[in-house]
Amino acid sequence: QVQLVESGGGLVQAGGSETLSCSASGRTFSLLSMGWYRQAPGQERKFVAAISASGDNTYYADSVKGRFIISRDNAKNTVSLQMNSLKPEDTAVYFCAADQDSGKNWRPTYFGMEYWGKGTLVTVSS
């Protein structure tokens, strides 16, 4: 099994930056495709960003493209989400997720993610 633990989050002003991290254990990290999702109160969980097992491919939701950067460090078994130019609309609980499919043709999907962290709250004030 895979265990995921998010760190970071908190209160930040609009226009500011914040970086979230996710530590993975229980399986070989380099064989996991990773992603970040977020959920605001009363809303569905939405895709934010993802990165392939090799790190060669990244994917972003249109709402965060150009502002957020996903990266991974296989030596540290971590995946990070750098968030820049934050907006109040970015306020949500952010979840780290993992998929054991490490194939070259992998693409992120909500139901394809097999493991989830407990989430960390990011609040952006106007």
Side-chain angles (χ1 to χ4, degrees), residues 32-81:
L32 297 173
S33 297
M34 304 294 297
W36 286 95
Y37 289 72
R38 66 187 183 187
Q39 184 172 23
Q43 300 183 15
E44 64 180 356
R45 192 169 298 183
K46 298 180 179 179
F47 169 76
V48 176
I51 186 168
S52 62
S54 67
D56 292 337
N57 301 103
T58 56
Y59 311 87
Y60 297 94
D62 290 340
S63 60
V64 306
K65 193 172 299 182
R67 297 190 298 124
F68 290 12
I69 301 174
I70 187 171
S71 62
R72 66 189 298 155
D73 187 338
N74 288 353
K76 297 181 179 180
N77 289 358
T78 59
V79 61
S80 299
L81 183 68

Side-chain angles (χ1 to χ4, degrees), residues 7-9 17-21 36 69 71 79-84 86:
S7 62
S17 299
E18 190 169 1
T19 298
L20 305 179
S21 295
W36 286 95
I69 301 174
S71 62
V79 61
S80 299
L81 183 68
Q82 181 181 331
M83 305 181 293
N84 303 309
L86 284 165

Side-chain angles (χ1 to χ4, degrees), residues 9-10 20 37-41 43-44 48 87-95 119-124:
L20 305 179
Y37 289 72
R38 66 187 183 187
Q39 184 172 23
Q43 300 183 15
E44 64 180 356
V48 176
K87 306 174 181 179
E89 307 92 88
D90 295 319
T91 295
V93 175
Y94 284 71
F95 297 89
T120 184
L121 177 63
V122 174
T123 302
V124 183

